[in-house]
Amino acid sequence: MKYAKIDVAGTGDETIIAAVAGKKFRVLDYLVTSANNATVTWKSSAGTTLSGDMHIASNGNIVAVGGYPTPAGMFGLFETLPGEGLLLDATHACGGHLTSQEISV
């Protein structure tokens, strides 16, 4: 398991998890909060969209949990493309945290 903080200025794409050659990242859960109305979108570092636009009301948050174990491994919410990191595109400053798995490809 890997843990990352979310602390973005809200000026577009910001790296949450840096790319690692030969690896992809499976996001298991996250919390994103903002003091302002904000729109956020998860992306792979080459720009591939991993989620739809999600809207956060002022002083609100988004919580998503998908890290359930299955016989085949952990069930996650989404994965980056191989060799790419994880970005958060936000229209305003956001904070929070996430849990992920690093997977060899």
Side-chain angles (χ1 to χ4, degrees), residues 9-97:
T11 56
D13 295 347
E14 293 200 36
T15 300
I16 304 301
I17 302 174
V20 177
K23 305 282 185 175
K24 64 181 179 176
F25 298 95
R26 177 178 297 147
V27 174
L28 304 175
D29 59 52
Y30 62 84
L31 164 74
V32 181
T33 186
S34 180
N36 300 297
N37 290 330
T39 301
V40 298
T41 308
W42 292 106
K43 298 179 179 180
S44 241
S45 56
T48 301
T49 303
L50 302 174
S51 76
D53 290 347
M54 298 177 288
H55 307 284
I56 303 172
S58 182
N59 295 312
N61 62 58
I62 299 171
V63 178
V65 179
Y68 301 107
T70 67
M74 291 296 286
F75 175 74
L77 298 166
F78 52 84
E79 295 177 353
T80 63
L81 297 175
E84 295 187 14
L86 179 67
L87 307 178
L88 185 64
D89 180 7
T91 58
H92 288 281
C94 292
H97 53 84

